Every structure is written in C-alpha cells, then in structure tokens.
Amino acid sequence: MEIKLPKKALVTGAAGFLGSHLCRQLLSEGYEVTAIDNLFTGNKSNIYDLMDDRRFSFVLHDVTQPFWGQFDEIYNLACPASPVHYQHNPVETIKTSVIGMMNILDLALKTKAKVLHTSTSEVYGDPLVHPQVESYWGNVNTIGIRSCYDEGKRCAETLAADYRREYGVDVRMVRIFNTYGPNMHPKDGRVISNFIMQALCDEDLTLFGDGLQTRSFQYCSDLIDAMRRFMRLSRVDVDAFCVKHSLGSPVINVGNPGEYTIKELAQETLKLLPDSKSKLVYKPLPADDPKRRRPDIILAKELLGWQPKVPLCEGLKKTIAYFREMV
C-alpha cells in the first residue's frame, strides 16, 4: 500500500501579518511548512502557537541570501509592505524584492517547485485607469520615496515572467490590494492599523490631504482563500486561462472592490469605538500617494471562482478586538 506523504511548503516572510495566516492555513490542510523570515517587520509572536507542531519549522533567514530545501510549493511573501517600513531602508527593500525573488525562482527551477509570488497593487502607482485591471501598465515614479517598493515589486514580476518563459518555472502572481486583520503590526503606518490604534489611545485620527482619496479594504482570510485556490489549479488550466485572456504571465488582482474614502474609513472606525475621544485631523498628502485605488477582480472571479466575503464592518470589528489587547 502506497503511503501518501504530506506536501511540503516554503513560506517566506512567514512571521509577518499575512505569512502567519498562510502558515496556519497550510498546516490546517496537512502540509509540512518551513517558515523563513529575517524578522525585520515580522514578529515571532505571530507564529508562537505553531512552534509545537512537528510539521512546522522556523528558520531565521534573509531571502537576499540563497536558501536550499526540497519543496512542492513556495509562497514568496518576503518584503516590507508598509511605507513606514519599506522607506526605512529603501536599498534593502528593493534587494528583498529583486534579489530575493531571483533566489526563490532559482530554488524553484532546481527543485521543480510551484511558486506563488505576492505582488501588490502598488505596481499600478497613482493609476490613470480606474478600476485597475491587470492589463494596465501603471503610472509609477521611478525615483520617488515609494519607488523602492513599487519598482522592486514591478521588477520581481518581470523576473517571474521571464523565468516562466525561459526556464518553464511554474510561477503565479497575485497583486494584493489593501489587506487588513489580526497580526498586523500596530506601528506599521498603514491606515487601518493607524486609525484603530489612534482611536483606542484617544489620539486624533490623522488623515492626509483632504481625506477623499480612496482605497479598497480586503480582510486577510479572503486573501488567503484566493491564494490557496490559485495554487490548487493545475498548470494546464492556468496556461489555458493565460492564452484565453492574452496574459503574458499568470497574474491576477486580489482585493475587495468596495471603494471607500479615507475619511469614510476614519468615521467607520470611530463609529465602532464610540467611547473614543479622538477627532479627525488633516496633514499634507505624502509624495506619490495614489488618489484612487480599486481592483477589477473579473479575472479572479473567473479563474478561481472567488470573491471576497467579509464586509468592512465585520473585518474592522475583528481587527479592533485584536489591537484592543495591545493597549
């Protein structure tokens, strides 16, 4: 009788916000998970509860250095994702995106592993097309303060596409739009964590510009669901989908198409925290901050049979409960 061995997955950036949720999901599906992180923005407290699982192993490692192991699937989530963190050391940020991506793809090439790369809606820059579709090439400043992240992620997509074309590496990409939920860093500078922590501490909620710029907010469980659905697909099905839609490489938007102004988000946060003494205050808009952001998810719906399920109000309640324990 043939014994079926569990699949082995490598997750980079595993101690981060999204990486920790992905590790937990993979373990629940029976995977053996190797988690690597340099803990620049990740926190081992996000994965403490996994350490006693014999199928889980953590390795302190930076993806800019090569890593070896035999894996069936590789999930590349390694990169600071908030402006506060990726602008702290911009050279390291772009090295993580570019050199780290090359190391992941080289490992996949040697071991025949399937790769899922987490790209970002930031590849669209300050978009001139709304909502953003995968065929849009973006409007990105190559030398701005956000460029280390934006252009790093764009280059990582180029590497993934070329390794797929030239070497046949089975790599898929998701362009992630604003995602939130438990395990976010309380000081990561992203708008939802900022607003919740400010409101819990009775500090004024900081809005930049007039607060009328828009974002789309996706709860973390919806994103993890989409990522897993994408990786379960056969390469034959993915290739056929790319041909059908004239995609040079399998890349899809994953986000919630509900569009909110930043001011509406601030008001909703305060509505859920009625005891907060916080008020809204306005500061100048940072350079290259996108004015509007909303994903077109038609391709994700067709390919994955997926769409987000968690409403903003429900997701905010869960995230507030998580942050409340830190105050």
Side-chain angles (χ1 to χ4, degrees), residues 235-270:
R235 176 155 190 173
V236 171
D237 289 341
V238 171
D239 287 349
F241 184 82
C242 289
V243 171
K244 177 182 177 182
H245 292 280
S246 300
L247 293 174
S249 197
V251 57
I252 57 172
N253 292 332
V254 178
N256 192 317
E259 187 176 6
Y260 297 86
T261 67
I262 299 302
K263 186 175 182 178
E264 287 173 333
L265 174 67
Q267 292 168 336
E268 183 67 20
T269 303
L270 291 179

Side-chain angles (χ1 to χ4, degrees), residues 71-83:
F71 305 101
D72 301 294
E73 299 174 3
I74 301 173
Y75 296 81
N76 185 32
L77 286 76
C79 189
S82 72

